[in-house]
Amino acid sequence: MNPPEELISYIKDHDKFYIVPHMFPDGDALGSALALESALCGIGKKAIVFSRDPVPDMFDFLPEALRIAPISDLTSTEDATLVLVDCNAPNRAEIDRVKFKYTIVIDHHETESDFGNIRWVVPKSPATGLMVYFLIKALGIEISPAMALNIYTALSVDTGTFRYSNTTAESLAVASELVLKGVRPSFVADRLYNSWTEARFMLLKHMLYSLEIHNNTAICFITNDMLKKTGAKPEDTENFVNFPIMINSIKVAALFKETGKDFWKASLRSRGDVNVAKIAEKLGGGGHKNAAGFRINGDIETSKKTLLESLDGIGESSGGD
Ligand code: 5GP
Ligand code: MN
């Protein structure tokens, strides 16, 4: 994968970069942003990561994660260039209110906006972290152990640790390079998959209890009341939508997470050729073919119905219980 020449020479010629991941950042968004930050700082540039949301506890092992600044600190952009990572529109990072003279997008999402003076969007890339790896190499910067851990985690999170269909020979080859730089795959896997709090596990129990199956579609929900009862945090729901997609007859899994009274963030997952990015886009969201999301306003029953109606025509996935 070759980063555009225009991007490489722009970075070489400029000194100040504000790197911004999408809101509710996941391991790919954070790992990509942090690896790029240390690479740029390492060659004498000023680079700062700003995030709308704090780093979830599960990612606090990422090198330099505690240095991430809140977006409220971003008051003056002066001569800084914005680098949006793992998203391609400023509203995905809630940074629309801040004006920049020059903007760069590094992303792998299928749904496109036309934002960015330099846009490097590669939907085929399994993770933004993989793109950042090739960018750092193209800039002639040596991958440090800290960058390696950030990139390996980014790649791990977006490929389900090399289990999803987006896992490529290239990503495995890069993972091997990163292991040679000191990453311990068992350490990352342990942090990502075997470090649950009891509260998170109890929340999963509640979510599983909400499961409904409509032909080939599984729908679950998590309310704020469930969070309160279990003491779990909103970010504890990360990956929960991957539980119902384990059922072999399920083609689409949806998880509605309450964000306010009658406001929901829905996560969608699908198998094979079922494209949930298209469904999410129809409902005002976006994402990838097999992993997408959208926001919806309405009570839970109406929201579920809207989704099932949008799925009509995809396999046999609409209909009753
Ligand atoms: P998740 O379900 O893990 O939150 O998101 C799955 C994928 O869909 C991620 O790549 C995420 O960036 C994308 N996604 C989730 N929600 C939205 C949304 O509301 N708008 C857009 N454009 N993408 C979303
Ligand atoms: Mn990603």
Side-chain angles (χ1 to χ4, degrees):
M1 190 170 5
N2 293 320
E5 277 305 323
E6 187 192 9
L7 175 59
I8 298 164
S9 52
Y10 183 90
I11 292 177
K12 283 184 176 161
D13 292 346
H14 293 80
D15 288 323
K16 197 168 170 188
F17 299 89
Y18 288 172
I19 304 166
V20 180
H22 56 75
M23 59 173 86
F24 304 116
D26 60 6
D28 186 27
L30 292 167
S32 300
L34 290 166
L36 187 59
E37 178 198 42
S38 29
L40 297 181
C41 289
I43 53 167
K45 315 250 175 217
K46 187 171 164 71
I48 306 173
V49 179
F50 290 96
S51 170
R52 189 194 84 139
D53 300 295
V55 175
D57 291 347
M58 68 182 296
F59 296 122
D60 64 6
F61 71 95
L62 291 176
E64 312 295 351
L66 300 177
R67 253 185 22 198
I68 294 181
I71 233 158
S72 50
D73 281 5
L74 209 174
T75 45
S76 156
T77 59
E78 293 160 37
D79 48 348
T81 297
L82 169 69
V83 187
L84 268 187
V85 291
D86 203 34
C87 61
N88 59 56
N91 64 335
R92 290 280 300 131
E94 218 171 73
I95 197 166
D96 342 26
R97 66 177 173 84
V98 188
K99 297 288 165 247
F100 285 86
K101 275 197 228 122
Y102 208 84
T103 55
I104 292 173
V105 165
I106 303 175
D107 185 31
H108 69 135
H109 287 91
E110 196 169 296
T111 43
E112 291 251 349
S113 82
D114 55 7
F115 178 82
N117 300 103
I118 299 179
R119 293 175 54 76
W120 185 33
V121 180
V122 184
K124 276 210 179 104
S125 178
T128 300
L130 188 65
M131 300 170 69
V132 167
Y133 169 86
F134 285 109
L135 178 60
I136 293 173
K137 298 280 271 194
L139 287 164
I141 301 166
E142 167 103 20
I143 305 276
S144 68
M147 290 176 216
L149 181 52
N150 277 314
I151 296 168
Y152 181 92
T153 304
L155 205 42
S156 256
V157 165
D158 270 22
T159 59
T161 304
F162 313 106
R163 288 173 303 142
Y164 301 159
S165 59
N166 59 0
T167 304
T168 55
E170 187 180 58
S171 53
L172 289 164
V174 169
S176 164
E177 283 288 312
L178 301 171
V179 172
L180 289 170
K181 297 279 179 200
V183 174
R184 281 189 297 126
S186 62
F187 166 78
V188 177
D190 214 45
R191 293 306 303 251
L192 294 181
Y193 306 113
N194 296 334
S195 299
W196 289 44
T197 59
E198 203 175 306
R200 187 178 188 201
F201 211 87
M202 289 304 177
L203 184 66
L204 175 67
K205 197 173 88 168
H206 282 271
M207 182 201 81
L208 293 177
Y209 209 72
S210 77
L211 175 73
E212 268 179 21
I213 294 180
H214 299 260
N215 293 326
N216 302 109
T217 302
I219 303 186
C220 296
F221 60 86
I222 289 176
T223 60
N224 284 333
D225 196 44
M226 292 178 190
L227 293 179
K228 213 176 342 166
K229 264 196 197 122
T230 57
K233 297 178 184 164
E235 69 252 30
D236 285 330
T237 61
E238 172 94 16
N239 275 331
F240 273 23
V241 66
N242 290 316
F243 284 92
I245 201 81
M246 287 175 177
I247 306 168
N248 60 9
S249 60
I250 293 301
K251 291 194 176 130
V252 177
L255 168 60
F256 287 90
K257 290 166 267 186
E258 189 178 23
T259 55
K261 168 111 183 78
D262 287 342
F263 281 92
W264 303 88
K265 181 196 176 316
S267 286
L268 301 177
R269 297 294 183 271
S270 65
R271 271 178 203 276
D273 282 341
V274 179
N275 189 332
V276 281
K278 292 229 163 78
I279 306 295
E281 223 177 345
K282 263 205 279 188
L283 296 168
H288 310 281
K289 186 171 110 187
N290 298 125
F294 63 94
R295 286 164 188 278
I296 190 163
N297 176 209
D299 62 61
I300 186 65
E301 290 310 321
T302 315
S303 304
K304 284 193 220 166
K305 200 160 158 266
T306 304
L307 173 66
L308 286 169
E309 280 166 7
S310 304
L311 285 167
D312 203 15
I314 289 196
E316 305 160 37
S317 49
S318 69
D321 280 317

